[in-house]
Amino acid sequence: MSQLPKQRTEVSVPTSADVARLAGVSRATVSYVLNNNATVRISEPTRHRVREAATQLGYVPHAAARSLRAGHSRMVLLPSGHIPAGPLHQRFFQELQAGLRRLDYTVVQYGSAGLDADEAARAWAELRPVAVVVPPGITLTRHGTGVLTRSGAKAVITLGPEPVEGAHGLVMDQRRVGAGAVGHLLARGRRRIGVVMPREPGLAPFSEPRLAGARQAAGTAGAHILPLPLRYEEESAAELAGGWRELGLDAVFAYNDEYAMLLMRALQDAGVAIPGDTAVVGADDLLLGRLLRPRLSTVRMELAMEHPLAETIDRLVHHPGTAPVHHDLLRTSAVHRESS
């Protein structure tokens, strides 16, 4: 019987000492260069020589060892959740991750599906992150904030419609979106307004405050608001459009541009004239909405941040214990086009 050749079970792992020998420098210099330590003056040729040696050997610094030396990790935890796919949130999180990387942090995304709020906080704490950024759609409690800070997190930041006690809050008040959309429709003379409520899971933290904002704006003008449950499916939109005339609505705020485009097509297929019979407004200001006929009116959203979030996180890491602050970031403006 033939035998398989013996496989090597051990692989030689390069060390900082190997890099130091190849580059002709001390291990301390290797550490300073590869950990981007700017407090020690090292010439650019030496830095280049160290990096070249590390690349040649395939050496990377050990994150756990670096954390022990620094007294904390360089990990920023970003739990994943039902984050809206609109351009505002996509651009925000792309810039956040790029900014953290430039500051030598490692961004780790963590799937939290199936965990309740306190279970999720304990799971995040096990990784010992230096900071946690909780996106919209994920619940963090005061107890969870305490678990994270006691585990060593120097910054706990929430992004969402409401602040959380004990955490720094970047508040994106979604009521502004609903109020802006309905305010625009009221100015166009509409008084019986439907508000689309997506039935997809995870969107309630956005849709419910938008409905509240719509109702607040309508109340001051004596207008009527009717919530309209809708799945993001052609069949669901066709069913809603089929009974549209019985609802007696002259306008609809459709949650966002994607739902607005879905519903607008179904209404047109059902013979409802837009904007003659019903005005339609979305939110997000997607390019595709400008290419439709009629062009889609929308609510444009922007974040008013004095400093990039990555720099704020870095400042909190270096100055832990700062009293939690809350900033209202969301700015909205209605954009009038042909659909309204």
Side-chain angles (χ1 to χ4, degrees), residues 252-276:
V252 59
F253 165 48
Y255 175 70
N256 70 6
D257 285 356
E258 292 177 316
Y259 282 87
M261 289 185 278
L262 173 69
L263 181 57
M264 191 161 73
R265 171 49 58 189
L267 289 172
Q268 290 173 322
D269 289 346
V272 177
I274 297 172

Side-chain angles (χ1 to χ4, degrees), residues 89-131:
H89 289 87
Q90 288 182 341
R91 184 169 62 252
F92 176 82
F93 284 106
Q94 287 172 353
E95 290 176 356
L96 170 61
Q97 294 184 61
L100 287 169
R101 189 61 212 150
R102 285 193 297 271
L103 293 169
D104 197 33
Y105 290 95
T106 299
V107 179
V108 175
Q109 292 188 314
Y110 190 101
S112 303
L115 300 176
D116 66 28
D118 290 339
E119 288 174 338
R122 287 193 296 271
W124 306 336
E126 289 179 1
L127 299 179
R128 297 297 190 269
V130 72

